[in-house]
């Protein structure tokens, strides 16, 4: 594809909050441009997310101008030149041009500058190194336009040096390639990632989680994960067996269900076979409590779904609730191998849309009236009655419910007399 020569007709650049930030900072001898991912996505014709601004103005000047214009300014990283301006509820990260004086992992000693080329050269990938001025002129100091046209993700400068500056760039290389690249990863970058893979041990679990969950939902995630595995990277991140076939099947299952890509569902397909896998991933990636609970539930005897008829499925749905039921069915579907093409899996997975479990109609009062005292015994009787009700497939007529209650009390009384 050919990227447009300019973005002069882009309404997001000429109007609204973005235009207001650029107008604020493009005066008095200072210059500001939109930089990074917003420019990349605009040239690719893709939706634009966060809009980052690069400027020659130092942070103190950015804050001064914002206050005069009654714009909220948050000093989110002034030591690195970043101030966040909030306009109409939209945040803009405004960062002063920089050049690295000394780098040692994530900790770099930087100097503020006014040289756009030097600032571009310290960024990670060529497709992220473009800037655009308020009139829509695209500035390319690093060959990013050609790489956008080729759908190629390439490090700026020497790949090994970029990686040594921040080992998270190994994960970003594969994640950005999965999202925007085509074909095999850039060879020089790939080899540099392999050479620098020991540096992954220096990354915090939180940073790994952020990058990997973004990678999970990228359009080229399946191919990128295979490439990472071939490079000896994936085992270092998961510390367990990975299942590429199940991951690919999960993508197909999501599409058949009309679901948006789900990072946790896909992670479960890739790396969770039993609940111990979920616990390990939670610790290594510092997953949230909600994410951990989802993976743990998915890994709990999902294999029992194979060959399950709808009556059993209804009982599972009643026990698990719609969300946990669907997650577990989706994992079983993804792990079904050749059988994943069977339409029965979609029938099972869509059960919550077709059927709503009834509420258990018997209450504590029904059993107190039959002579069961309040306390642990009552709870036990209610559980036995509920199990019997499920086994009979949710009857609601009064005669069936009376029989269940009477039989349950009789069985409980008989068993506890022995």
């Amino acid at each position: 594809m050919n990227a447009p020569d300019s973005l002069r007709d882009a309404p997001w650049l000429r109007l609204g909050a973005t235009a207001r930030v650029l107008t604020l900072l493009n005066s008095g001898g200072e210059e500001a441009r939109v930089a990074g991912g917003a420019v990349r996505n605009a040239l690719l014709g893709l939706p634009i997310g966060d809009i980052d601004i690069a400027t020659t103005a130092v942070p103190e000047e950015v804050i001064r101008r914002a206050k005069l214009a009654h714009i909220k300014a948050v000093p989110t990283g002034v030591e690195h030149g970043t101030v966040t301006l909030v306009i109409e509820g939209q945040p803009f990260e405004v960062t002063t041009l920089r050049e690295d004086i000394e780098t040692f992992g994530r900790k770099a000693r930087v100097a503020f500058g006014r040289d756009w080329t030097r600032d571009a050269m310290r960024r990670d990938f060529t497709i992220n190194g473009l800037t655009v001025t308020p009139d829509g002129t695209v500035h390319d100091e690093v060959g990013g336009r050609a790489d956008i046209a080729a759908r190629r993700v390439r490090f700026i400068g020497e790949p090994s040096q970029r990686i040594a500056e921040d080992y998270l760039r190994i994960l970003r290389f594969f994640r950005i390639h999965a999202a925007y690249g085509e074909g095999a990863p850039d060879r020089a970058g790939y080899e540099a990632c392999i050479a620098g893979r020991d540096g992954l041990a220096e990354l915090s679990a939180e940073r790994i989680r952020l990058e990997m969950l973004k990678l999970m939902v990228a359009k080229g995630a399946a191919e990128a994960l295979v490439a990472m595995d071939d490079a000896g990277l994936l085992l270092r991140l998961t510390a367990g067996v990975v299942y590429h076939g199940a991951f690919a099947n999960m993508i197909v299952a999501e599409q058949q269900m009309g679901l948006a890509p789900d990072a946790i569902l896909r992670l479960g397909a890739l790396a969770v076979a039993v609940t111990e896998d979920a616990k390990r991933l939670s610790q290594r990636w510092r997953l949230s409590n909600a994410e951990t609970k989802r993976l743990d539930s998915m890994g709990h005897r999902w294999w029992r779904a194979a060959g399950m008829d709808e009556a059993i499925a209804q009982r599972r749905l009643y026990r698990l609730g719609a969300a946990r039921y669907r997650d577990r069915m989706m994992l079983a579907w993804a792990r079904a191998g050749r059988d994943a093409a069977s339409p029965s899996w979609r029938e099972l997975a869509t059960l919550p849309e077709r059927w709503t479990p009834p509420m258990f109609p018997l209450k504590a009062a029904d059993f107190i009236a039959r002579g069961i005292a309040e306390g642990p015994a009552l709870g036990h009787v209610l559980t036995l009655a509920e199990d019997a009700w499920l086994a009979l497939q949710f009857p609601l007529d009064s005669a069936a419910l009376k029989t269940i209650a009477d039989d349950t009390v009789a069985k409980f009384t008989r068993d506890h007399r022995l």
Side-chain angles (χ1 to χ4, degrees):
M1 62 163 287
N2 291 320
D5 292 333
S6 76
L7 296 174
R8 64 173 58 93
D9 296 324
W12 63 269
L13 183 62
R14 296 183 295 103
L15 305 171
T18 306
R20 188 176 168 192
V21 173
L22 292 173
T23 298
L24 176 74
L25 298 174
N26 274 289
S27 64
E30 305 294 355
E31 184 180 2
R33 305 176 187 174
V34 176
V39 185
R40 174 199 66 215
N41 283 24
L43 293 173
L44 287 167
L46 297 174
I48 295 169
D50 295 335
I51 298 176
D52 297 331
I53 308 293
T55 181
T56 57
V58 296
E60 293 77 12
E61 177 64 12
V62 173
I63 293 171
R64 186 188 71 81
R65 293 188 182 199
K67 287 182 177 179
L68 288 175
H70 305 290
I71 293 172
K72 182 179 179 180
V74 183
T76 46
V78 289
E79 68 276 12
H80 298 296
T82 301
V83 176
T84 298
L85 302 186
V86 183
I87 300 179
E88 301 168 11
Q90 182 177 356
F92 294 84
E93 277 199 358
V94 179
T95 302
T96 306
L97 300 189
R98 298 175 292 176
E99 57 182 275
D100 291 331
I101 303 302
E102 182 181 4
T103 60
F104 35 100
R106 281 288 284 173
K107 300 182 183 298
R109 191 160 62 89
V110 300
F112 300 143
R114 304 182 68 83
D115 189 317
W116 289 93
T117 299
R118 287 192 176 188
D119 185 78
M121 291 300 296
R122 65 180 302 277
R123 297 177 182 269
D124 50 9
F125 308 110
T126 60
I127 64 173
N128 293 341
L130 290 83
T131 59
V132 60
T133 49
D135 65 358
T137 301
V138 176
H139 295 264
D140 180 9
E141 318 287 351
V142 293
R145 188 189 295 274
D147 286 336
I148 284 176
R151 292 280 188 157
R152 179 174 55 232
V153 177
R154 188 167 57 87
F155 283 100
I156 293 173
E158 176 56 44
S160 60
Q161 180 182 344
R162 294 278 84 81
I163 289 170
E165 291 166 356
D166 184 357
Y167 287 103
L168 189 71
R169 286 174 173 169
I170 293 175
L171 303 187
R172 284 180 55 79
F173 174 74
F174 290 98
R175 195 258 293 179
I176 299 294
H177 177 77
Y180 303 103
E182 289 182 356
D186 174 68
R187 192 67 194 175
Y190 188 69
E191 291 176 352
C193 289
I194 294 173
R197 61 191 175 190
D198 287 347
L200 293 175
E202 299 181 12
L203 300 178
S204 69
E206 292 85 356
R207 299 183 76 211
I208 291 173
R209 171 192 173 275
L210 184 63
E211 285 298 325
M212 291 302 294
L213 292 187
K214 287 181 180 179
L215 190 157
M216 291 288 158
V217 297
K219 66 176 180 60
E223 295 81 2
L225 288 167
V226 170
M228 291 180 72
D229 207 8
D230 290 344
L233 302 173
L234 206 50
L235 180 60
R236 292 170 180 251
L237 299 169
T238 64
V241 177
V242 292
Y243 306 87
H244 293 291
F247 187 88
N249 284 346
M250 183 63 83
I251 293 173
V252 174
E254 285 177 338
Q255 293 169 347
Q256 290 189 22
M257 289 283 289
L259 301 175
D262 186 319
I264 297 302
L265 267 183
R266 293 186 178 191
L267 178 57
L270 179 72
V272 175
V274 292
T275 55
E276 287 77 6
D277 294 331
K279 293 178 176 64
R280 185 187 65 253
L281 284 169
S282 176
Q283 292 171 354
R284 294 184 68 85
W285 292 15
R286 201 65 57 82
L287 299 175
S288 70
N289 288 339
E291 291 163 349
T292 301
K293 288 178 180 178
R294 280 189 72 188
L295 286 179
D296 185 76
S297 176
M298 289 166 66
H300 185 73
R301 295 188 288 185
W302 53 267
W303 52 86
R304 294 170 60 188
M308 188 167 60
D309 62 25
E310 185 144 325
I312 296 174
Q314 288 178 349
R315 294 198 288 272
R316 295 281 168 77
L317 175 55
Y318 174 85
R319 293 290 197 192
L320 295 171
R324 291 171 61 199
Y325 169 88
R326 188 181 292 108
D327 279 353
R328 203 172 295 182
M329 288 303 107
M330 292 292 287
L331 180 59
W333 185 357
R335 290 278 165 77
R338 294 179 181 178
D339 190 45
S342 171
S344 64
W345 285 110
R346 190 176 188 281
E347 288 295 307
L348 289 171
T350 57
L351 179 60
E353 282 73 55
R354 296 182 286 104
W355 180 78
T356 301
M359 297 286 289
F360 179 47
L362 292 172
K363 307 298 180 186
D366 297 313
F367 297 97
I368 293 173
R370 287 171 169 80
I372 303 297
E374 294 187 43
L378 180 59
H380 183 54
V381 168
L382 280 166
T383 299
L384 291 174
E386 186 178 31
D387 290 343
W389 179 69
L390 290 175
L392 293 171
Q393 212 58 29
F394 313 98
L396 297 175
D397 62 283
S398 57
L401 294 174
K402 181 178 182 301
T403 298
I404 290 172
D406 290 342
D407 289 350
T408 300
V409 170
K411 181 179 185 304
F412 177 81
T413 302
R414 182 176 62 253
D415 290 348
H416 283 74
R417 282 177 181 168
L418 297 177

